Amino acid sequence: MQTNLNENRLIDRLKRGDAIAFDTLFKIYGPKLYSFALKYLRSESESEELVQVVFVKIWENRKALKTDLSFKSYLFTIALNQIRKYFNKRAITLNYLNQLSGEDFESNKTVDSIDYASLLKRVDEIVDGFPERKKLIFQKSRKEGKSSKEIAAELEITAGAVDNQISESLKIIREVLKKEDLVLLLFLALFL
């Protein structure tokens, strides 16, 4: 009972912008949240980042906190939503790479040694060279994970037109990467 009373006082102080109360709550819940995130993410750096993101959200929304609800539950709900976003983003990225290559990136040993960040950066450079409309459609589809119907509704065009633009975009990207990958494949064959 005393613990709940102390926590409620901390939350009241936090709602008024008290940084010491925020720091105290961080010290209490930060390690627990980190352990929780680590079980899902299996990455120390990603788990640390998640804890920071959650507590930034707590600080930004401090005025809306309710002392009659469990702060711990609220905190872990935010964390779970962030973990879901992380996995959704990862799934979209893997799907994006799979469609570009026509291969399964997770099972290909040589692809494991490719720097995905560099590959994504190169794809972004190629997409930046697209006409604005094609670029917008492609980014909404592959980066934001929107369906053809959603994009069509937003841009007031048909879903078929969206699908055509995406297919053309993927074809262009594949052709450019194919030309550039000859050097990469030669390097992988000689040195790996």
Side-chain angles (χ1 to χ4, degrees):
M1 184 80 174
Q2 183 65 25
T3 306
N4 288 344
L5 192 59
N6 288 338
E7 186 176 283
N8 289 346
R9 287 182 186 150
L10 286 171
I11 293 168
D12 278 336
R13 289 175 40 205
L14 174 59
K15 286 173 72 169
R16 290 178 274 163
D18 185 336
I20 294 171
F22 176 80
D23 191 45
T24 303
L25 288 166
F26 182 83
K27 286 177 183 172
I28 294 168
Y29 289 108
K32 294 174 186 174
L33 200 58
Y34 173 81
S35 296
F36 175 76
L38 192 58
K39 287 177 188 174
Y40 286 97
L41 302 176
R42 299 180 184 202
S43 163
E44 291 178 4
S45 62
E46 294 288 340
S47 298
E48 288 171 1
E49 186 176 331
L50 180 126
V51 171
Q52 291 174 358
V53 167
V54 169
F55 275 94
V56 165
K57 287 184 179 292
I58 293 293
W59 180 258
E60 289 173 346
N61 298 314
R62 66 187 176 277
K63 292 179 182 175
L65 292 174
K66 296 182 171 120
T67 54
D68 58 329
L69 299 176
S70 170
F71 180 74
K72 182 178 179 180
S73 294
Y74 179 63
L75 197 65
F76 280 81
T77 299
I78 294 171
L80 197 54
N81 287 335
Q82 289 301 124
I83 290 168
R84 282 187 190 125
K85 284 182 185 177
Y86 169 83
F87 283 114
N88 285 341
K89 183 177 178 184
R90 186 170 178 219
I92 289 169
T93 302
L94 285 173
N95 184 33
Y96 175 58
L97 291 173
N98 287 338
Q99 287 181 358
L100 287 177
S101 71
E103 298 177 16
D104 182 6
F105 267 78
E106 290 187 312
S107 64
N108 187 330
K109 285 184 181 180
T110 57
V111 175
D112 287 340
S113 57
I114 295 174
D115 180 1
Y116 291 117
S118 296
L119 179 60
L120 287 175
K121 183 179 177 192
R122 181 62 187 122
V123 169
D124 286 341
E125 290 169 358
I126 296 167
V127 171
D128 283 341
F130 289 172
E132 282 306 309
R133 187 104 167 151
K134 184 184 294 286
K135 178 178 166 180
L136 178 66
I137 290 170
F138 188 81
Q139 288 174 334
K140 284 185 177 297
S141 170
R142 295 305 188 254
K143 298 280 182 166
E144 297 174 24
K146 292 186 176 180
S147 71
S148 296
K149 288 181 182 178
E150 290 172 318
I151 298 167
E154 278 183 41
L155 301 178
E156 299 178 352
I157 57 176
T158 66
V162 171
D163 290 337
N164 287 340
Q165 290 291 315
I166 293 169
S167 292
E168 288 175 18
S169 298
L170 288 170
K171 183 178 177 186
I172 292 167
I173 292 168
R174 275 193 208 105
E175 288 172 3
V176 171
L177 290 179
K178 228 181 244 184
K179 289 176 188 172
E180 295 175 3
D181 277 351
L182 291 176
V183 175
L184 176 62
L185 292 174
L186 178 62
F187 172 81
L188 291 173
L190 293 174
F191 296 104
L192 294 178

